[in-house]
Amino acid sequence: MPLRVHPGVIGRRLDDCYVLIDGDGEQIYELDATGARVWELLLEGVPVAGLAARLLDEFEADAARLRADVEALVAELRDARLLVEAGSVEADAPRSPLTPSDARAPRLAQGAWLLRWCAASGDAPQLSRGDAAALDVQRRPDGSWLALAGDVHDAPRAGFLVRLLARESLAPAIEALRGAFVVLSFEAGTNTLRVWRDAIGLWPCYVVWCAEQKTLLVSSDLDVLQAQPERARGFNAALVAEFVRGRASVAQCRETFYQAIERLPGGHRLTLGRGGAAPRVERTWDLFARPLRWADDDEIATLEPTLERAVVRCIESGADSVALSGGYDSVTIALLAARARQRRAAVPLTALSLAMVGTPSDESAIQRGVAEALGMPFRVFELPALERCDDFCQRALAHSARSPVPILSMWQWAFDALLAGATDGRRVMMGTGGDEMFIVDARYAEDLLRAGDLRRLLPFVRAWLATSPLPTRRVLAELLWRAGARPLLADTLGPQLTRLLRSVLAFGRSVSPAPPALSTRPVTELLEARAAREARRDGSAYVAALRELVHGPTLMLELDQSGAWSARHGRRLCYPFFDRDLVELALRLPPEHLYRRGQMKSPLRELVARELPALPPTQRKVDFTALGCELVRRTGAAVWQALGGAPALAALGVVEREEAEAWMRAYFAGQVERPAQAWRLLSTEHWLQQRTD
């Protein structure tokens, strides 16, 4: 009887090897480069009898020796129950103790689309749209076609696909585009399907490859894919575990919280030919493909025009409002938008704001003042009296069932309420990205300490202290220890001695109880192996941080959630700070330029001070942590009790149930000061229960 991969196996590629956890979660296995390729072929549905032939096409090796090695590896995989007989009870078992519900998307919603192609059949790919606006499609008489979802900048929409399809070579033209988009193309002559995503990944695109049916599914809506009968069921336990722990790895940029559904990362292209081989995913945009060259003075002088062009591009794509807080990011966007509209004598954009009246986080006076100074209509949504808000957690978690990811922020519901209630704002420009582009990552401290450059370290630390809302002790601990000295010591002493030193330094101090650990040793080892491999790098720690920034998992999850929530209200969000041209310049700005005036975001501060001298925004970032911690602690216990603790997380093997519930009781009792950890546990458990049959 033919063999197939055990459906309970968890596997992850790490560099040139493959790490596997057996279906019982008790053993961990590591395959070398050849073994990793064998495993990938098995996932593609290649029969055991055909493995050696496929490998001989790819590797130079003695045929007899290769066949013997493959047979030995297959025997080991079978003995370990990583491979099982097709049709057996084990083979047909569910892939997870929890089965995600498939009843969330009975039909395509407005703005959603779905591509389905069985590559082994003689049929062409099928495209379905929730409405005509979801996807523009242009076809040729020979059966080839081109489709566009989203917005392309600097090109008239009318006739765009006709002009693009007429080009002799599509790839260079598509890969040079600016905007937020997904482009799909099918070439009938070569039976080749390609999917491109914009450089940053601003337009959603999810992929399912069904190896057994040789079928590819692509959609802008994760729930649409979740509802398709071809896909395998199961949550991605490893990603859930990393999320609950607060770990973020670059490998997550392709993963979602579902085992079978992947994200096509920004700046990548997927290619699938007829026949049945797995899709090939390749990077098409990489700012760090060559050694990073810092911007010179002439390039730095173009920063403001580049940022203004990014804002104008959003306006030309239909942006009619700005999400206005009291911080420099959104004020800068509002200022440049007002300037652009004045030059065109156009109707001003509307400012949309949240107000936390009566709290230390209230920025309504600044928000109103900026809107009035710029001549913008002002729409404000006042949150209910938070000191008397006994249902804060219920409000914060109310949309779990419709969210593609666990609710990331305890304040997300408030912005959702603003979008739902605003009559203006079909397309809203966001200040998201200002932190990423204009705050120097804490890991720059490692570079300065490694170089012994205390003269430059001091102003860097001072700028962080002058900007961050966190207590001085926490900022110094982050910069000088966690981001700075600890990595240096780990390189010198090794991780075990570094942990020992850390324990000695912490001796006698009161520390919060550690968050609940993963319940299974193999999953813990898998995550530690991934973290260790990602920690291996050469060169600057700061450049490594920049490399991770644009396609980092936290940003990808934020874009997934914000896009899904805003689409539900018929809104679209625009991100000027993630304009490709601006990103390519901002990430090359010398670090000292970003805090040359003694605070982070110096270029934005200088622009706002020049244009709005009488109305400076807040000098420090507004911190909602203390207020949110108080509200979650006061209102979250009832939600946690209603959930029954952590049964879903425990069923996935992410936490020991008793340990997690004891830790949460300590948090609600005020014995633990880790609000972010408590929120991740509460939010993820609620999300899993809402998304489970």
Side-chain angles (χ1 to χ4, degrees), residues 100-109 112-117 126 204-210 215-234 254 256 258 260-264 270 404 691:
S101 171
D102 59 2
R104 306 295 180 193
R107 61 182 177 82
L108 289 180
W113 50 268
L114 171 67
L115 178 144
R116 174 185 279 105
W117 189 34
Q126 300 174 352
C205 185
Y206 305 100
V207 176
V208 172
W209 170 244
C210 309
T215 298
L216 177 71
L217 306 172
V218 185
S219 181
S220 60
D221 191 319
L222 189 146
D223 279 348
V224 168
L225 292 180
Q226 184 190 344
Q228 302 310 308
E230 297 97 332
R231 80 166 187 88
R233 298 293 185 263
R254 286 188 63 173
T256 73
Y258 297 96
I261 304 177
E262 291 193 336
R263 182 187 300 106
L264 180 64
L270 178 149
R691 305 282 290 194

Side-chain angles (χ1 to χ4, degrees), residues 20 49 121 142 144 159 273 281 324 457 498 552 611 683 685:
L20 306 172
S121 73
D142 67 353
S144 300
V281 176
L324 181 64
L457 178 64
T498 303
E611 299 290 332
S683 172
E685 178 65 35

Side-chain angles (χ1 to χ4, degrees), residues 17 25 98 136 198 220 234 252 256 278 294 303 316 341 353 397 450 476 501 594 596 627 632 643 645 678:
C17 75
L98 296 175
D136 292 341
D198 68 84
S220 60
Q252 294 173 5
T256 73
W294 298 116
L303 177 61
E316 291 175 344
R341 302 291 275 192
S353 296
L397 296 169
R450 191 180 295 274
L476 293 177
L501 176 62
L594 299 178
R596 61 180 179 173
L627 178 60
V632 171
L643 292 171

Side-chain angles (χ1 to χ4, degrees), residues 306-391:
T306 302
L307 180 52
E308 184 170 354
R309 183 168 71 249
V311 172
V312 169
R313 283 170 166 171
C314 291
I315 294 174
E316 291 175 344
S317 295
D320 56 8
S321 56
V322 178
L324 181 64
S325 70
Y328 281 93
D329 303 337
S330 64
V331 171
T332 297
I333 298 302
L335 190 160
L336 294 174
R339 179 195 292 176
R341 302 291 275 192
Q342 289 169 1
R343 288 175 179 171
R344 293 164 173 75
V347 176
L349 276 68
T350 300
L352 304 176
S353 296
L354 289 170
M356 298 185 178
V357 179
T359 74
S361 303
D362 182 21
E363 300 176 283
S364 56
I366 294 175
Q367 294 163 341
R368 188 178 300 276
V370 170
E372 291 176 354
L374 297 176
M376 287 183 161
F378 186 57
R379 306 284 185 268
V380 62
F381 173 74
E382 290 190 8
L383 296 183
L386 293 174
E387 68 278 4
R388 298 190 301 274
C389 186
D390 294 328
D391 62 346

